[in-house]
Amino acid sequence: AHSMVGHMTRSDGSVMRTAPFVILIHLIWLFLWPVLNGESFRHVILPTILSVPVFLYLHLCTFFYDGPHTGRARYIAGVFLLSYVLSPFNLSGMGYLIFGFFTLAFTVPVRIGWRVIALAIVLFTVEMMVLGHRLNTMIGVVVPLMIFGIIAVYTGYTTLQQAVLRRSKEEIMRLATLAERERI
């Protein structure tokens, strides 16, 4: 019906009911750098592990919520907040923001989506500054956030345009069929 999965399933004609689960493979990025850098289990890995069930709840609610967009926006805001809460322990928590960018881009109009994404990146940058991260670390985090933010907005926009085009084609076909019936 009105769930994001329902929208995606209708939007391109393919069955995307598994998409919310398949994209979870990207959660590996939350653990990759901390494990490779030998970070503390108690101070980095454990808080990250504890954040995953909260994220899974918010993520799946975002995709399967069948109410007004304001309800879905609350779950997306929760994903953003989770990113800010995890970042003092693990900067890879920026991955939650990226998940949020894409769901937001399919939920709100483009003019709102890019502004919220830009604000989220600014807030994450300010948080990194407050936490005392070096400039090269901040650049290494902000650049990917900006790139994925742009990709999310572009993907949301093109999906919307494809849906509009598809509806136009369906209307043209309906009118052509109606005109042919009247002619006969």
Side-chain angles (χ1 to χ4, degrees):
H2 297 297
S3 70
M4 190 173 288
V5 168
H7 169 71
M8 290 187 315
T9 302
R10 284 190 310 276
S11 72
D12 66 358
S14 67
V15 179
M16 293 183 63
R17 295 193 188 287
T18 58
F21 303 102
V22 172
I23 62 178
L24 292 177
I25 190 71
H26 295 289
L27 287 176
I28 195 165
W29 293 108
L30 291 174
F31 298 96
L32 186 64
W33 290 116
V35 169
L36 291 178
N37 288 334
E39 298 286 351
S40 162
F41 177 81
R42 194 175 74 178
H43 295 105
V44 179
I45 308 292
L46 182 60
T48 306
I49 290 171
L50 294 174
S51 74
V52 171
V54 176
F55 170 75
L56 290 174
Y57 171 78
L58 294 168
H59 173 72
L60 294 175
C61 286
T62 299
F63 275 88
F64 291 102
Y65 175 75
D66 197 19
H69 284 320
T70 54
R72 186 173 296 116
R74 285 193 304 259
Y75 294 120
I76 296 168
V79 170
F80 278 47
L81 181 61
L82 186 60
S83 178
Y84 299 125
V85 169
L86 182 59
S87 68
F89 304 98
N90 181 357
L91 270 182
S92 296
M94 70 183 259
Y96 289 148
L97 269 185
I98 294 168
F99 274 100
F101 291 171
F102 282 91
T103 53
L104 182 75
F106 283 94
T107 301
V108 300
V110 174
R111 70 183 188 288
I112 295 171
W114 76 263
R115 288 181 172 113
V116 172
I117 289 171
L119 177 62
I121 293 170
V122 167
L123 290 175
F124 202 84
T125 305
V126 168
E127 183 176 25
M128 286 189 298
M129 291 169 64
V130 168
L131 292 171
H133 288 287
R134 296 187 323 237
L135 181 61
N136 62 341
T137 301
M138 292 193 306
I139 291 171
V141 170
V142 171
V143 169
L145 282 176
M146 290 172 53
I147 291 169
F148 281 112
I150 291 167
I151 292 169
V153 170
Y154 178 76
T155 303
Y157 174 76
T158 56
T159 301
L160 176 67
Q161 293 306 96
Q162 288 172 352
V164 168
L165 184 60
R166 189 183 61 260
R167 283 193 302 271
S168 296
K169 288 166 77 174
E170 289 169 357
E171 181 64 13
I172 290 168
M173 292 301 294
R174 188 187 69 76
L175 290 173
T177 303
L178 185 63
E180 184 64 20
R181 282 185 191 144
E182 287 180 7
R183 187 186 67 79
I184 292 173

